[in-house]
Amino acid sequence: MTTGLIPGGQPPEPQPTGESMPQQRREPPGDTALPADNRPRSSVITARAAASFEPVGRSVATARSFVRDTLQGWGFADIVDDAVVLTSELVTNAVVHAGTHADVLCLRTEDGVRIEVSDRYPEREVPLQSSAVSMGSPDREGGRGLQLCAALATRWGVDYTPTHKNVWFQLDLPERPVGTRTAGPALPADLLPLADGRVRVAVLQIDRKGGISAWNEDAEELFGYPASDVIGKPLTDLAAWPHTPGTGTGIAEALQLSRWEGTYGIRRADGRVAQVYASHLRVRDTGGEPSTVCLLVRDHERAVLQSPPRVPAGDQSPSSDGQNTDPFEVFIGSPAPDDLDGLLQRTVERARDMLDGDSAFLLLATDDETELEVRASTGLPSARQRFARVPVEAGPGRYGSARMPAVHDDLAAVPGAVPLLAGTGMRSVVTVPLKVEGRLTGSLGVAAEAPGRYTNEEALRLQFAADRIALAVESARLGELERLRRGSLSFLVEASDLLAGTLDRDQTLALMAQMTVPTLATWCAVYTIADQASEPYLSYVLHEDEELIDGIKSLLAKIPPPDPVPTPGARVWTAPGEVAHQAALRSSMRSLGLSGGPTHRIASGIGPTLATASAVGGETVVLPLVARNRVIGMLTLGKPTDEHFRQEILELAEDLSRRAALALDNARLYSERTAISQSLQRSLLPPGLPQIDGVEVEVIYRAAGEGNEVGGDFYDLFPIGNGAYGFAIGDVCGTGPNAAAVTGLARHALRLLAREGLSGPAVLQRLNSAILDEGDRSRFLTLLYGELRPQKDGSAELKVVCAGHPLPLRLRQDGTVSAAAEPQPLLGVIEDLELYEETVTLDPGDVLLCVTDGVTERREGSRMLGDDGLADVLTTCTGLTAGAVAARIMRAVERFASDAPSDDMAILAMRVPGIHQLA
């Protein structure tokens, strides 16, 4: 849909091409001729909006909403109803009867609006009007669209092209006195709405990002926040608006509408929720920047802002029996609310006005018809009551039943007859059922503060109204339920994907909380149970306002955790709310000096406590986290003060808790397995490297594979005796736990055999036999083993055996690099090995570098680092310490390829310091 301004434009006018293209305007009944419309048509088009709708049934409602929103945004509320009716009929003709797309174009002029509806079925004929308009039978399926145009439009006509048929109509704005929009009759003083002293109107301005940019003095007085505390904050932080996935219109959507009126709550600075009636107007400044102006009054002072309902002219005069038309009979008139919440709220407001009550409420029945859920109210603390549940049979016999009309003259005489009104000050009430095909679907009630206000006559009037609205309410409820189910399914699919994507316990806990807040609850806490003998532990707390998390965490830490009951489903937990309110009360008394303590300013003394009490003061429920027939924790969900959970949200939370429990248990099992594996692997590494006088030693080790600390590569450096040290670096075929098992065998066997005084070749031959004795579990092994003896002259003597391993490299002080040993057969392949040892002397400043093949076989595509590449890097390490040499080699290996290493790597560098360094 596009909307734009076209200065100086002219509205396109249809050119008649024959008798089949009439131009009509309203004429008094009885006229037999339609005079031509010769008025000048020079109105300038100031704006246009267009949209196209598919040939499906739902497009009719979408087209109605498009025209309604467009005209209300232009300020043409006086002609919205007629335009919506005409558009509905014409779009129905196109998408339902003709089965084609419908293109709707709205043109704004100075005098009114012109709307064009085009379809792609031009063959249908147009009925000619040469006599008074006859609407025919109201039960006819078609043929009313053009007749309605003749009856309601100022002018109308039809244009034909070979491919399209375009029906247009124009509605002129009615003449009205300057400054008058709507007005009501003069009333006696005792019939005027009641206000508490001065009427305060809070004026808020909300920028395009949803932040508060203006906050007047009345807003500060009504809600307790100074402007400095709220400017820049999102309105959603203060608005008590229900969160329901897949249903309803949220505060963010309401702020985007051109106009909006309705009731919601604002969280006051003292933690309470103030019910307000709001009127929103979308505007833009001279720079084109949009914003929304919000006017808010206390809910019982709604008459200050509420637009009076538009009553058709014919309904304003008395009917034939002298009775005025019941105002409730027109409450579902155009435009009817598109969403269930809007329809229910309008119902209770009109029901209250119809019976001149002080409050009204509407409840919807659960699927089994055993309970009623509060869905809308007016004149009552609706935030506290919303989604609260009461049993259908609330009292003894017919008097307290919701299945038939009931009149209660004085609730003080029958305590508990209407649980919803307990503590509200209401004395008399009339309730009637909502039924569809004999099935109870809800209950509608109107209450007053005075006793004896209602009789059976009012009950019959209310029942008649309930019968008129019951089918529409049930239809809207089923639509909301379907949207909720679709939204719930999408929510659970996304949650399952997120939970399956991690095996980290802490991240799983965070995901659980983030998926529930704010979609399902205002705050949540996750308790975990390590084993059956352990007490539940508070592991994670989250609130939609991060500033309240610490307060809730501190509060819950002082409360015994809920019992780990494995029974499925949500159960109410009252302890947090009770303790929070007690703490707030004690803090308030201390701040007021009532407990002997110093007196402080209330705002600074009890602000955090009151905020915490308000945050957890609503309904709190606990769902068990059950996995593999064991309770592993509890998921606690909470609402702020006076709010309740709806049943659909609890059922969705139960589904989520089952998925989250399995993910949390998987993360626990994975963490335990990883901890055991890492503990065993760490036992395969040397406990530490010994300090060798006159020789620098540095080792860098990287094991391939997630969670592996030891793989197939290994190293060791250990004292043998008589000033000698054994060193080894090897590589077992393969990686992972199987290779690590051979690693443990090789490392421990080397230490044992070397300390027996055996030479290097003898040590490796016995190790070769031990590997072969493993049978099918044996793996071949490349190994560089040597003995190091520091010398008195500052050099070091090495005796090495290189059994199939990459050759050690010697770096001299002049930068030359050469191999320090000859290659010999590897271990674990043949039984009889002929091995020999070689002697190497490291002069002061020389470096001996030993690596595994994970270093030399580092690849990037077809390139490989290789022995030559390693030697080139080592050439640049002249003068570096052993640690610096090992670090430079590892850095060069990592930078050689962009991919993560696929093989284990070990680097052992030994360096004899220079003479000046020894000094």
Side-chain angles (χ1 to χ4, degrees), residues 853-873 887-902 905 907:
D853 61 4
V855 174
T856 56
E857 294 179 2
R858 178 73 163 144
R859 293 180 179 275
E860 173 71 15
S862 60
R863 298 186 307 119
M864 186 172 72
L865 180 63
D867 296 332
D868 294 339
L870 179 63
D872 292 341
V873 176
R888 177 171 293 187
I889 297 298
M890 178 56 71
R891 188 163 54 249
V893 172
E894 291 175 342
R895 292 178 178 177
F896 187 79
S898 57
D899 296 337
S902 59
M905 291 188 294
I907 299 174

Side-chain angles (χ1 to χ4, degrees), residues 332 339-340 343-344 347 362-367 369 375 434-443 466-483 485:
I332 200 174
D339 62 306
L340 177 61
L343 178 61
L344 299 182
T347 299
L362 192 149
L363 304 89
L364 294 184
T366 56
D367 292 339
E369 300 179 16
R375 292 301 302 271
L434 299 178
K435 293 185 176 181
V436 175
E437 297 179 353
R439 182 174 58 86
L440 179 69
T441 60
S443 178
D467 293 340
R468 294 287 301 274
I469 192 61
L471 186 59
V473 168
E474 180 66 4
S475 177
R477 187 188 73 86
L478 293 176
E480 181 196 65
L481 184 60
E482 180 61 26
R483 289 192 298 272
R485 286 172 178 168

Side-chain angles (χ1 to χ4, degrees), residues 58 100 156 269 357 386 457 608 611 643 669 681 789 831 895:
R58 65 176 180 272
T100 75
W156 71 280
R386 185 170 173 83
E457 181 179 352
E643 290 195 22
L669 293 175
Q681 291 180 50
R789 286 184 172 82
E831 294 184 1
R895 292 178 178 177

Side-chain angles (χ1 to χ4, degrees), residues 132-147:
V133 174
S134 173
M135 297 302 294
S137 171
D139 297 328
R140 292 175 55 192
E141 285 294 322
R144 296 195 301 264
L146 299 181
Q147 292 177 345

Side-chain angles (χ1 to χ4, degrees), residues 341-376:
D341 290 338
L343 178 61
L344 299 182
Q345 191 61 37
R346 180 180 292 189
T347 299
V348 297
E349 292 169 0
R350 301 300 171 83
R352 179 196 60 182
D353 297 341
M354 182 182 75
L355 298 187
D356 193 23
D358 296 312
S359 64
F361 54 89
L362 192 149
L363 304 89
L364 294 184
T366 56
D367 292 339
D368 57 5
E369 300 179 16
T370 60
E371 290 184 306
L372 295 170
E373 187 177 62
V374 180
R375 292 301 302 271

Side-chain angles (χ1 to χ4, degrees), residues 1 69-70 72-73 206-211 235-236 241 249-261 264 279-284 288-294:
M1 175 172 52
D69 293 344
T70 299
Q72 287 180 342
I206 312 301
D207 59 29
R208 70 187 309 162
K209 297 181 179 179
L235 179 59
T236 52
W241 204 282
T249 300
I251 181 69
E253 291 79 5
L255 291 173
Q256 298 299 317
L257 300 176
S258 59
R259 292 178 183 270
W260 184 89
E261 286 188 19
Y264 54 87
S279 176
H280 297 175
L281 175 65
R282 190 78 166 159
V283 299
R284 62 190 176 106
E289 182 70 13
S291 61
T292 302
V293 178
C294 304

Side-chain angles (χ1 to χ4, degrees), residues 794-832:
S795 64
E797 182 183 77
L798 289 82
K799 294 182 178 181
V800 297
V801 180
C802 186
H805 198 77
L807 299 179
L809 299 180
R810 177 181 181 180
L811 171 66
R812 296 183 180 274
Q813 281 189 310
D814 59 3
T816 59
V817 174
S818 60
E822 296 293 332
Q824 300 183 56
L826 51 78
L827 307 181
V829 179
I830 58 178
E831 294 184 1
D832 297 326

